[in-house]
């Protein structure tokens, strides 16, 4: 549904951005909007978010901002658009926004290749014990080549299980096929047969079954009440001894205590983690494990990706301010009166 043409356009909407963006994007925002930037890049407190939402036409939050129902209920009457920087919107109460007729937009597809590249780096790096090897060299503990030293697992012929076969999951499958991995996946529904053939991917209709046959499991699904802790102790126990788990999606998809227990027992050989349930806190037991790659949520951290996402945010704001439907509207049934 499109926005009503009768709505008065806003020539220079007041825009508040909650985090520091790349210079090119911030410079363009200064040209186009009455913008308040967070140059210090210090996350806003809840009170600061509440104050911002009282004083703007457009809020530009990121995944670090929790925009819940109470904050939305207390927003000022001029707030008409929450233009999220990033694809995920689970940190925004979409139902509450709909109730207030506040539009929500995101930037889908921008970080697909970047996130898939990082996931692939860990899919390679964990079985080959890259972190452990670099640690030996950095600490001066490497004593030289030996036929039995730091043996990892070969990728070719192993089963890569992909949970979530959207844009990123498909991009990972495309990359993984070049390394000789067998691709199995779980999704809410199977991909079209032609796309499965192109990716060399096989649908598995049950998460339990997928985990039981995976040598490497990689997560690429959104965080919902149904997917929270979907990888728990029971499901990890189904996995092959010596298998590994990769997560570049959301930390809460995994029961962290169950993951740590499986790593410490040796049931899992390793893990690659870019996200955590209580960011920026990372459990010391994960950091201490020699074969856990702990990265600081950098799946989308490329100059190109962050610039593209920022320009998508700008496009959404400009279309909304001109009285039109933003191209990346999340709730298409919303109408701003």
């Amino acid at each position: 549904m499109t926005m009503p043409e009768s709505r008065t356009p806003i020539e220079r909407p007041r825009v508040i951005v909650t985090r520091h963006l790349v210079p090119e994007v911030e410079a363009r925002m200064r040209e186009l909007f009455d913008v308040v930037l967070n140059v210090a890049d210090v996350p806003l407190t809840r009170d600061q978010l509440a104050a911002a939402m009282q004083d703007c036409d457009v809020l530009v939050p990121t995944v670090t901002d929790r925009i819940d129902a109470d904050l939305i209920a207390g927003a000022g009457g001029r707030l008409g658009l929450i233009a999220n920087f990033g694809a995920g919107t689970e940190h925004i109460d979409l139902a509450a926004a709909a109730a207030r007729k506040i539009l929500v937009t995101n930037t889908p597809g921008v970080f697909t290749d970047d996130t898939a590249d990082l996931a692939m780096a860990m899919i390679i790096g964990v079985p080959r014990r890259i972190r452990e090897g670099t640690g030996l060299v950095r600490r001066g503990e490497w004593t030289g080549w030996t036929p039995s030293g730091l043996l990892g697992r070969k990728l070719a012929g192993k089963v890569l299980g992909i949970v979530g076969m959207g844009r990123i999951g498909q991009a990972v499958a495309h990359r993984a096929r070049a390394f000789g991995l067998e691709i199995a996946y779980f999704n809410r529904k199977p991909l079209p047969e032609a796309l499965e053939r192109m990716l060399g991917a096989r649908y598995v209709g049950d998460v339990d079954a997928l985990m039981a046959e995976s040598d490497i499991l990689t997560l690429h699904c959104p965080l919902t009440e149904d997917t929270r802790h979907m990888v728990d102790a029971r499901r990890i126990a189904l996995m092959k001894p010596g298998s590994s788990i990769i997560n570049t999606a959301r930390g809460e998809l995994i029961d962290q205590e169950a993951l740590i227990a499986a790593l410490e027992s040796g049931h899992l050989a390793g893990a690659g983690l870019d996200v955590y349930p209580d960011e920026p806190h990372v459990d010391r037991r994960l950091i201490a494990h020699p074969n856990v790659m702990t990265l600081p949520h950098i799946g989308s951290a490329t100059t190109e990706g962050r610039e593209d996402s920022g320009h998508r945010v700008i496009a959404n704001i400009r279309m909304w301010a001109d009285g039109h439907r933003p191209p990346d509207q999340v709730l298409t049934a919303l109408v701003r009166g």
Side-chain angles (χ1 to χ4, degrees):
M1 182 181 296
T2 58
M3 298 170 61
E5 295 299 324
S6 59
R7 187 177 70 76
T8 304
I10 305 173
E11 184 175 350
R12 282 183 69 84
R14 182 164 177 79
V15 177
I16 295 182
V17 184
T18 67
R19 298 300 298 265
H20 179 44
L21 305 181
V22 295
E24 292 81 358
V25 170
E26 291 191 340
R28 186 60 174 152
M29 284 183 165
R30 288 190 183 98
E31 293 174 1
L32 297 171
F33 313 131
D34 173 18
V35 65
V36 178
L37 300 170
N38 184 354
V39 177
D41 202 29
V42 177
L44 300 187
T45 66
R46 184 176 178 83
D47 287 345
Q48 289 171 327
L49 276 172
M53 293 171 71
Q54 282 280 341
D55 188 37
C56 65
D57 301 297
V58 181
L59 182 75
V60 180
T62 73
V63 69
T64 63
D65 304 300
R66 300 297 176 185
I67 313 298
D68 60 26
D70 289 341
L71 282 175
I72 291 171
R78 67 190 293 186
L79 180 63
L81 175 65
I82 297 174
N84 188 60
F85 180 92
T89 56
E90 65 271 12
H91 56 292
I92 302 170
D93 191 319
L94 300 179
R100 284 288 307 271
K101 294 186 177 179
I102 298 170
L103 271 65
V104 177
T105 59
N106 64 345
T107 60
V110 172
F111 300 126
T112 296
D113 286 333
D114 302 330
T115 306
D117 288 346
L118 192 75
M120 197 66 222
M122 292 194 287
I123 288 167
I124 299 167
V126 173
R128 293 304 305 269
R129 300 169 67 179
I130 296 296
R131 178 191 170 181
E132 192 172 355
T134 56
L136 285 173
V137 173
R138 287 177 178 272
R139 293 190 303 271
E141 296 174 3
W142 182 48
T143 58
W145 183 88
T146 170
S148 58
L150 211 65
L151 299 180
R153 298 293 181 95
K154 184 176 182 177
L155 289 180
K158 299 298 191 300
V159 176
L160 175 67
I162 301 177
V163 180
M165 204 61 153
R167 292 185 183 94
I168 297 173
Q170 291 176 35
V172 169
H174 177 72
R175 288 157 172 74
R177 190 178 187 188
F179 286 84
L181 285 156
E182 179 185 337
I183 312 300
Y185 74 96
F186 171 83
N187 205 40
R188 284 177 294 179
K189 58 182 180 179
L191 297 177
E193 187 176 340
L195 185 53
E196 284 189 336
R197 286 199 302 269
M198 184 184 76
L199 295 172
R202 169 173 53 83
Y203 179 67
V204 178
D206 180 77
V207 175
D208 288 5
L210 180 69
M211 292 185 68
E213 68 169 293
S214 296
D215 296 288
I216 307 165
L217 185 81
T218 183
L219 305 177
H220 301 288
C221 55
L223 177 64
T224 67
E225 286 308 309
D226 290 334
T227 62
R228 188 181 302 275
H229 285 188
M230 67 181 300
V231 178
D232 56 13
R234 182 187 67 81
R235 281 182 163 153
I236 292 174
L238 298 174
M239 296 187 72
K240 301 172 184 177
S243 54
S244 55
I245 294 176
I246 310 298
N247 188 12
T248 58
R250 290 292 182 264
E252 295 93 332
L253 295 173
I254 301 176
D255 180 336
Q256 184 168 268
E257 287 298 322
L259 174 66
I260 291 170
L263 289 164
E264 291 182 341
S265 72
H267 179 68
L268 291 178
L273 306 172
D274 188 43
V275 289
Y276 310 90
D278 187 26
E279 296 182 12
H281 172 72
V282 180
D283 193 290
R284 299 302 302 179
R285 293 170 291 177
L286 293 172
I287 295 172
H289 193 283
N291 200 28
V292 176
M293 297 180 72
T294 48
L295 301 180
H297 203 151
I298 56 171
S300 64
T302 67
T303 300
E304 298 87 348
R306 297 285 168 86
E307 286 181 356
D308 289 348
S309 185
H311 288 301
R312 287 280 285 272
V313 168
I314 290 171
N316 283 319
I317 295 172
R318 293 188 71 181
M319 288 294 288
W320 174 83
D322 288 343
H324 305 299
R325 178 179 179 269
D328 299 311
Q329 185 174 333
V330 176
L331 300 177
T332 57
L334 277 181
V335 178
R336 175 66 174 170

